[in-house]
Amino acid sequence: MQNDRVSPQPIVRVAEEPEAKTGELSELREILVGSERRQLEALRQRLDSLALDPEELAEHLPEAIALRAGRDRQLARALAPTIETAITESVRRNPQDIATAIFPVLGPAIRKAIAETMAGLINSINRAIEHSLSPRGIRWRIEAWRTGIPYAQIVIKHALIYRVEQVFLIHAETGLVLGHAAAPNLAVTDADLISGMLTAIQDFVGDSFQQEEGGKLRTFSVGELTVLVEPGPQAVIAAVVRGQAPESLLRKLQDTLETLHFQFAGPLAAFDGNATPFEAFRPMLEDCLETVLTTDDRGRASRTTHWRAWAVALALLTIVLAVLALRAQRQWDDALARLRTEPGIVLVRADRAGARWRFAGLKDPLAPDPSSALAQLNGDSTRVEARWEPYLSLDPKLVVERARRALTAPPTVALDLRGDSLIARGSASMPWVARVGALSVFPPGVSHFDVSGVEAVLPTEFAALKATVETDRVLFDAGSATPTPTTRGLLVRVAGAFGRLHNGTGEMGYRVELAIVGRTDPTGSDATNKALSQQRADVIRATLISLGVPAAVATATGIGTTSPLALPNPAEAARINRSVSFLVHLRPVTNPRKQGGSE
Amino acid sequence: MIQKKICMVGLFGTGKTCLVQQYVHSIFSTKYHSTVGVKIDRKVVQVDGASVTMVLWDLAGRDAEQDISVSYLRGAHGIIYVVDGTRRESFDQAFELRELAQATVGEVPSVVALNKTDLKDQWILGPLDDSAMAAHPWHRLRTSAKTGEGVEAAFTWLAQHTLNTERKQP
Ligand SMILES: Nc1nc2c(ncn2[C@@H]2O[C@H](COP(=O)(O)OP(=O)(O)OP(=O)(O)O)[C@@H](O)[C@H]2O)c(=O)[nH]1
Ligand SMILES: [Mg+2]
């Protein structure tokens, strides 16, 4: 088209020249070289009209093409539309041929595209996971949930440096949209309206500010969006960018626009509202769509945060495990300590497998069963296993316990082991005292048994008799050792009571003794008082023996005033101390073997 | 995808905006909001089985202060001159506007919409005016943005003719 227009012009100019110049000079020229000029013209015309000989053309065409192609791109540009048409035609006629021809190219291209898509997908999944695990990710999820905006968009909103959301290719003159590309999941239906308005705005700005060419609106902002407008002679490219658009984006838009003008010069010039030819340019527009999220720096930072979070979690886990292990160890140690200190238990083997405990050893039947205590320490009775062989322990506690059982000692008796001697204290019934006192075989671990510390408790009947004997008192006149006549009845009673006591306790293995104690009032010397008191005691003893009290168990002692009976009134005190009183002593019948063994 | 740029031209208050509103959204309002600059709307129509997007540039009408901005007319594939059938000046100036538009876009399919045809009692156009208009190759129609009369027809005619007409350079 250009060549057609350019080439005829020189010819026209040459042809016009003689007519333009008139006057003498031309006349002179006509005279001088007129015929030669006409000849020249004829020759030239012949040359011009010389038909191209196909033979000759075939000869020179390859060379010519090579020559021109080496010089510039003019030829390629000229041929491109024809070749495109040819290919289109060929595809239309027989798609199979072309498919076969381009298959080797297409295959790898498709694979590459798929690989890139997959990489992008994996990348976005990674990012999503990364963000969803971080506290920031959780915050964003909450935001997404709160605002109802999809999570992916929230991520983009926060992690975004910039995103080219839409690219418009607009026919400069009409403002009609030639092409439009939008970021995925961004529904845009008003590309034509927006294109129109963008153009109207451009027109308006151009009109209003009367700027010379190039003084067009290049950028403007709408909220978070920036619109970059790059005008070209036939088309305008506009990009809607969220975030901070870099300088490089503008260059990319310019490049794209230049490519369009170069590749689609024809369709652009012929554009009459039909944007179909520009469909082919869509990939270039889509190329301009890009999303640049936070740089690796922040990514790395967040990864470190993750790492740190994991480390903390790991540390916590370790601590928990350590605490658990320590606790288990302490429980085990406690269990061992308990078994080792427990009297009557000899731990022979103890081992631990995880939470499972196994014990084996000896156990005195009297030792308390440790299994419930062990189960409590372990926390699970099924994980404790113990096998105890019975044995007799000589642990003092157990010896005493065993003795207590063997002797059927009443709770009022306290047993104590000193070396191998068992010492009993407290009080017990007379029969018990008598029985154990008579024992000659002792429980294991006991060689001697001292029961002297146990007070034999009299049966009530005997206690009453004893009291009768001990409360009665024989009074004397001052200085006299002769009992008053009324005393006789009293002594009969004492002798009777004592006799019954003597008989009864004898059956229980006791020997009962009657101590007859004579006293005097404080008047007079101690010596005379002592003698008087002895006289008084002797007299009463004699009387009692005469009344049936066995002489062997009756002792008479005059204590004078050494241990007087006390009363507040001196006269009364003197009166009751001029007396003889009685004490009953009960002693177990001595076991000659026991006594002999101990000394 | 075929698109056509259509410009609404006329004196202020002739009903350009109302016609577009009626055509695109089927609504009418008696409220008058004078257009500032230009407002763009679009409607997709089917013409002979092809879908055509009509991008409608509703230009601010000419008034005493401001003439229409010819930059908005650039590249228009079709023009609708809107005349208010109750105002003579709107009729007279339609011819001037035609000249103006032609200088920018050349001879493109055009419609002259004699609007507000519902206002019969105020109508001032007569047969003489009809013949005056016949002197030019524009398609004449009576329209009412209020009743919708002739609106669809005006735009459809333009859609058909812009689609079938090769554009001539001015
Ligand atoms: N009765 C009647 N009133 C109309 C009709 N069309 C427009 N109007 C009224 O005329 C007034 C102006 O209408 P617009 O459509 O805003 O006029 P316009 O041409 O856009 O005006 P500018 O934007 O100022 O150029 C409004 O009050 C409309 O209600 C019509 O067909 N019939
Ligand atoms: Mg208006």
Side-chain angles (χ1 to χ4, degrees):
Chain A
M1 207 164 119
Q2 278 176 334
N3 290 355
D4 289 352
R5 243 181 244 161
V6 173
S7 57
Q9 276 173 350
I11 299 169
V12 170
R13 211 179 295 140
V14 172
E16 278 170 1
E17 221 163 75
E19 284 162 26
K21 306 252 173 165
T22 47
E24 288 169 28
L25 189 63
S26 60
E27 242 170 77
L28 187 62
R29 204 191 280 162
E30 178 62 34
I31 294 162
L32 289 177
V33 292
S35 59
E36 284 86 352
R37 272 199 69 179
R38 269 187 294 277
Q39 274 175 7
L40 207 68
E41 191 58 32
L43 248 167
R44 190 186 189 128
Q45 246 155 36
R46 256 183 69 192
L47 267 177
D48 276 346
S49 63
L50 194 75
L52 261 176
D53 180 9
E55 280 292 317
E56 210 175 337
L57 186 63
E59 195 68 32
H60 294 298
L61 192 58
E63 201 185 336
I65 289 174
L67 210 68
R68 189 63 201 256
R71 217 181 291 160
D72 56 26
R73 298 174 55 104
Q74 206 55 37
L75 189 67
R77 240 177 265 173
L79 284 176
T82 316
I83 290 172
E84 277 164 18
T85 318
I87 290 172
T88 314
E89 188 64 14
S90 166
V91 170
R92 204 174 55 79
R93 276 209 215 114
N94 190 354
Q96 195 54 47
D97 284 354
I98 286 281
T100 314
I102 65 171
F103 181 73
V105 186
L106 219 53
I110 291 170
R111 275 197 296 279
K112 189 167 167 252
I114 291 172
E116 270 169 15
T117 311
M118 287 306 289
L121 187 70
I122 286 165
N123 196 26
S124 67
I125 288 170
N126 280 347
R127 198 179 298 280
I129 288 170
E130 183 177 314
H131 288 313
S132 62
L133 285 181
S134 65
R136 190 172 54 165
I138 292 162
R139 218 169 46 238
W140 292 352
R141 278 214 184 276
I142 292 169
E143 188 178 336
W145 168 76
R146 195 167 44 76
T147 56
I149 298 167
Y151 177 62
Q153 284 193 25
I154 297 280
V155 171
I156 284 172
K157 187 180 143 202
H158 288 283
L160 192 74
I161 291 180
Y162 74 91
R163 170 156 101 137
V164 182
E165 293 197 333
Q166 295 187 62
V167 180
F168 295 89
L169 191 63
I170 304 166
H171 188 240
E173 191 185 24
T174 59
L176 295 176
V177 61
L178 296 175
H180 173 247
N185 58 49
L186 193 81
V188 186
T189 50
D190 294 330
D192 38 17
L193 282 186
I194 295 166
S195 295
M197 282 318 291
L198 277 173
T199 310
I201 292 167
Q202 291 290 5
D203 291 342
F204 174 74
V205 170
D207 283 358
S208 308
F209 301 102
Q210 301 288 324
Q211 295 271 358
E212 64 270 25
E213 198 54 40
K216 296 235 170 191
L217 185 68
R218 301 291 285 268
T219 55
F220 60 94
S221 302
V222 189
E224 291 176 348
L225 301 174
T226 303
V227 182
L228 300 182
V229 185
E230 191 54 36
Q234 312 245 41
V236 176
I237 194 165
V240 180
V241 184
R242 188 179 292 277
Q244 279 296 309
E247 196 63 30
S248 63
L249 180 63
L250 203 63
R251 275 198 300 281
K252 189 168 188 175
L253 292 175
Q254 286 165 351
D255 284 351
T256 309
L257 196 62
E258 277 162 21
T259 311
L260 175 88
H261 278 89
F262 177 69
Q263 287 184 356
F264 289 78
L268 274 176
F271 180 69
D272 191 26
N274 188 352
T276 317
F278 300 95
E279 280 293 315
F281 195 69
R282 233 182 103 82
M284 290 288 290
L285 292 182
E286 280 169 351
D287 235 32
C288 295
L289 297 173
E290 51 184 10
T291 301
V292 176
L293 295 177
T294 35
T295 51
D296 288 345
D297 256 291
R298 282 216 219 161
R300 224 176 293 133
S302 79
R303 263 194 294 283
T304 8
T305 328
H306 281 180
W307 194 89
R308 230 178 285 140
W310 279 114
V312 167
L314 207 70
L316 280 175
L317 192 72
T318 315
I319 288 168
V320 167
L321 287 177
V323 164
L324 285 175
L326 269 173
R327 211 173 66 134
Q329 180 67 44
R330 218 186 48 221
Q331 287 167 341
W332 174 246
D333 289 346
D334 284 354
L336 290 185
R338 191 180 183 116
L339 288 174
R340 286 195 174 119
T341 53
E342 185 69 53
I345 287 182
V346 178
L347 196 58
V348 176
R349 212 189 68 225
D351 48 41
R352 180 164 69 124
R356 192 164 285 281
W357 292 356
R358 283 220 303 278
F359 304 103
L362 306 172
K363 181 180 162 298
D364 189 293
L366 287 180
D369 188 354
S371 55
S372 69
L374 290 175
Q376 208 179 341
L377 277 174
N378 184 288
D380 185 352
S381 60
T382 62
R383 292 194 301 227
V384 181
E385 197 183 292
R387 257 183 44 242
W388 305 113
E389 298 293 334
Y391 90 111
L392 283 181
S393 167
L394 289 185
D395 184 280
K397 249 174 90 180
L398 291 182
V399 170
V400 167
E401 182 58 29
R402 197 176 302 117
R404 175 175 288 282
R405 292 185 184 204
L407 300 172
T408 59
T412 48
V413 171
L415 293 174
D416 200 7
L417 195 67
R418 286 210 196 112
D420 56 0
S421 303
L422 187 66
I423 295 152
R425 274 176 233 286
S427 61
S429 70
M430 253 161 82
W432 185 82
V433 177
R435 187 171 59 79
V436 298
L439 281 178
S440 53
V441 176
F442 304 113
V446 176
S447 304
H448 311 287
F449 186 27
D450 179 2
V451 80
S452 60
V454 178
E455 185 197 343
V457 179
L458 285 171
T460 18
E461 177 199 355
F462 297 134
L465 291 172
K466 187 171 180 266
T468 308
V469 173
E470 289 183 339
T471 45
D472 276 334
R473 198 177 289 122
V474 184
L475 298 177
F476 291 86
D477 291 329
S480 157
T482 314
T484 52
T486 55
T487 306
R488 178 120 188 124
L490 188 151
L491 289 176
V492 169
R493 198 166 66 232
V494 167
F498 184 79
R500 285 197 349 249
L501 200 58
H502 181 262
N503 294 339
T505 56
E507 281 166 20
M508 289 189 296
Y510 273 79
R511 176 188 149 92
V512 67
E513 289 168 1
L514 183 65
I516 301 155
V517 182
R519 285 190 183 80
T520 63
D521 64 19
T523 47
S525 73
D526 282 350
T528 47
N529 282 342
K530 175 100 169 101
L532 180 61
S533 66
Q534 186 63 50
Q535 274 176 24
R536 285 175 175 166
D538 287 342
V539 168
I540 295 304
R541 180 175 178 259
T543 315
L544 285 175
I545 289 168
S546 70
L547 285 173
V549 171
V553 295
T555 51
T557 318
I559 61 168
T561 55
T562 48
S563 173
L565 302 165
L567 271 181
N569 185 340
E572 187 60 15
R575 195 180 68 85
I576 65 155
N577 273 301
R578 289 190 295 268
S579 66
V580 165
S581 55
F582 310 98
L583 282 173
V584 175
H585 293 298
L586 279 159
R587 293 185 213 291
V589 177
T590 42
N591 187 327
R593 233 190 291 181
K594 185 191 84 186
Q595 297 276 334
S598 73
E599 251 96 62
Chain B
M1 184 175 72
I2 300 169
Q3 308 159 81
K4 295 294 175 185
K5 174 177 176 176
I6 308 297
C7 289
M8 308 292 294
V9 176
L11 209 59
F12 72 95
T14 50
K16 299 178 290 294
T17 304
C18 285
L19 284 170
V20 172
Q21 288 300 307
Q22 177 62 255
Y23 180 54
V24 178
H25 305 293
S26 306
I27 51 170
F28 174 78
S29 161
T30 50
K31 283 229 182 82
Y32 175 38
H33 299 292
S34 189
T35 306
V36 178
V38 63
K39 178 160 183 327
I40 296 168
D41 229 316
R42 60 112 153 66
K43 175 150 171 160
V44 182
V45 291
Q46 300 294 325
V47 179
D48 307 331
S51 75
V52 179
T53 304
M54 306 276 279
V55 179
L56 308 171
W57 289 52
D58 170 20
L59 274 60
R62 173 190 265 188
D63 64 19
E65 273 98 59
Q66 201 148 24
D67 203 348
I68 60 164
S69 322
V70 283
S71 348
Y72 295 143
L73 291 170
R74 286 195 310 135
H77 297 100
I79 296 176
I80 297 184
Y81 299 96
V82 184
V83 170
D84 180 346
T86 67
R87 277 156 69 210
R88 172 141 306 275
E89 46 165 357
S90 77
F91 176 80
D92 295 341
Q93 295 203 18
F95 294 89
E96 285 174 36
L97 291 170
R98 202 189 105 84
E99 294 293 314
L100 193 73
Q102 256 196 320
T104 312
V105 296
E107 189 64 62
V108 293
S110 305
V111 167
V112 59
L114 305 170
N115 194 37
K116 307 196 185 178
T117 184
D118 56 290
L119 301 173
K120 295 222 159 50
D121 47 336
Q122 296 167 42
W123 199 255
I124 48 97
L125 297 179
L128 220 67
D129 302 313
D130 252 5
S131 50
M133 281 187 290
H136 297 296
W138 50 14
H139 183 62
R140 273 162 293 142
L141 273 169
R142 284 186 167 221
T143 60
S144 168
K146 188 175 176 180
T147 65
E149 183 190 334
V151 176
E152 188 82 35
F155 285 99
T156 307
W157 186 92
L158 211 49
Q160 269 161 354
H161 286 78
T162 50
L163 196 65
N164 300 331
T165 313
E166 280 287 297
R167 195 144 63 108
K168 293 158 204 94
Q169 291 301 313

